[in-house]
Amino acid sequence: MEAVPLLTNNARVYLDKPYVKVFWSPEDHILMSKWTGFCTYEEIKAVGARILDAVTFEGAEKVLYDAREIEVLDDHSQRYISGDFTLDMISSGVKFAAAVFPDDIFAKFSVDDIQKDIKQKRISNVTYFQSFSNAFNWLKDK
């Protein structure tokens, strides 16, 4: 069974919703988000703003997006993530980002589309992983 992001006593939780948990791990210096289920475009955009706030507040240079349990993203959400959100993350100081592919095949198609769009635009520092542990260890080594 794959590891899950650990919330230590020192972690700062920035958002705790049924569809996402965003927290800062001071031990690892990584801002993590764990996605679960379906999110609307409005929810995605609000979470994006909160993640950007946390990046700025913590001075985060490493971010992990755990999308193993996310469901399909609509086209508008995909365009936001691969466009404005990614550009804002880079301009906010994020140097390394890791995303873990979803387990759900249809959600994986959504993330594949985001990955292709980001790659085509040549704007991102996101690296994609099949497992959480590989993504986490990669970020810790940066």
Side-chain angles (χ1 to χ4, degrees), residues 80-142:
Y80 166 71
I81 293 167
S82 67
D84 290 342
F85 177 72
T86 297
L87 291 170
D88 289 344
M89 291 294 283
I90 292 169
S91 67
S92 294
V94 173
K95 294 184 176 150
F96 303 101
V100 184
F101 279 111
D103 295 331
D104 178 85
I105 189 68
F106 297 108
K108 186 177 182 309
F109 291 145
S110 295
V111 175
D112 282 340
D113 289 344
I114 292 168
Q115 178 186 21
K116 288 175 192 170
D117 194 32
I118 287 173
K119 195 173 194 178
Q120 184 179 30
K121 292 176 183 175
R122 299 178 191 187
I123 60 170
S124 179
N125 52 5
V126 179
T127 301
Y128 294 85
F129 295 87
Q130 296 295 329
S131 78
F132 176 83
S133 57
N134 287 346
F136 182 75
N137 290 330
W138 178 82
L139 278 174
K140 282 194 60 108
D141 289 342
K142 295 298 178 189

